[in-house]
Amino acid sequence: MAVGPFCVPPNPLLGCDPPCPPPRLSALPRSALCCLRPGAGAALRRAMAAALKPLVAVGQVTSTPDKEQNFAACAGLVREAAQRGACLVFLPEGFDYIGSNVAQTLSLAEGLDGALMRRYAELARDCGVWLSLGGFHERGQDWAATQRIYNCHVLLDSAGHLVAAYRKTHLCDVELEGRVSMKESSFTNPGPEIVAPVSTPAGKLGLSVCYDLRFPELSLALRRAGAEILTYPSAFTVYTGSAHWEVLLRARAIESQCYVVAAAQTGKNHEHRTSYGHSLVVDPWGSVVAQCHEGPGLCYAEIDLEFLHRIRREIPVQSHRRHDLYSTVELVP
């Protein structure tokens, strides 16, 4: 029998009996890909995948100091996203763990060549997806000398290769009396450079981490370098998140005319910390097109690059910017 514009199993291709007319590929749901038999439907599978816009998945987790528990939770989300047809899965800052104090945070850190990153590389290979791992506690090459870590956003391709590593350049030193107290610079080295956008199956991805969201100079630099998607894996507090999270993400999307993808920590990470959550995706017009509910989970969004480039043509702010003027303003005595 037929349902709407597509067929349901089984049939030589999509599986109706009697056979249906050839389906219009763009009208097929993404889930119809799983109905195709690996051999006989290979050509149709490729054609259908090409007709669909890239799907990204955004993870929301509650990391704790238990690294094994955290990996199991994140791996479950990655596998679920891969089954849904996502080509790129985003995990938040602190996906590896969130320590309850500085000493524990430093003691649990690993290098990029450590066991945990090898497990994520294997996960990417097994699932056939790219992974944006935002906010890995990295023991860098200078660990022995500094005893400080980097807050490192790691990008793995679907073969498990490390494609890019961006180390957070803006460290969160905030003191809101009686509400929020953070001094990331007391145990973290600031990253030395911005990383050029990376071509992924979903588009050109610009890497940032959490507090970087408050600095439009970074997002605009990535936009000038060709970014189509900006990502801000985060662990915002409830106090700052409820006030600033969505409005900052939408502002970054509007001013850069990029998709913005923000995976977030949610809930009680340990006795001293609760995270805001609200992982979301914003399109280049500034509309929230996907958002997670409370608690761990996933949200999904299609990346429509034709829509993105139409917005850039219709409101060409990039060509209107006056870089010849922005550095000429002087302080008035």
Side-chain angles (χ1 to χ4, degrees), residues 122-174:
E122 182 179 355
L123 179 66
R125 284 195 301 274
D126 289 347
C127 294
V129 296
W130 285 57
L131 295 179
S132 163
L133 306 173
F136 175 69
H137 296 83
E138 180 202 5
R139 287 191 181 187
Q141 295 182 347
D142 57 359
W143 164 254
T146 67
Q147 295 294 292
R148 295 154 67 92
I149 60 175
Y150 291 92
N151 192 335
C152 185
H153 186 162
V154 179
L155 185 65
L156 302 178
D157 68 16
S158 57
H161 299 138
L162 193 154
V163 177
Y166 163 76
R167 293 162 180 90
K168 187 178 182 183
T169 51
H170 302 97
L171 301 183
C172 186
D173 289 0
V174 174

Side-chain angles (χ1 to χ4, degrees), residues 15 22 31 57-58 83 97 109 131 173 194 206 270 275 283 307 312:
S31 58
V58 188
Q83 291 174 349
Y97 63 90
L131 295 179
D173 289 0
I194 299 172
H270 51 71
S275 295
D283 73 15
F307 173 65
R312 292 181 178 183

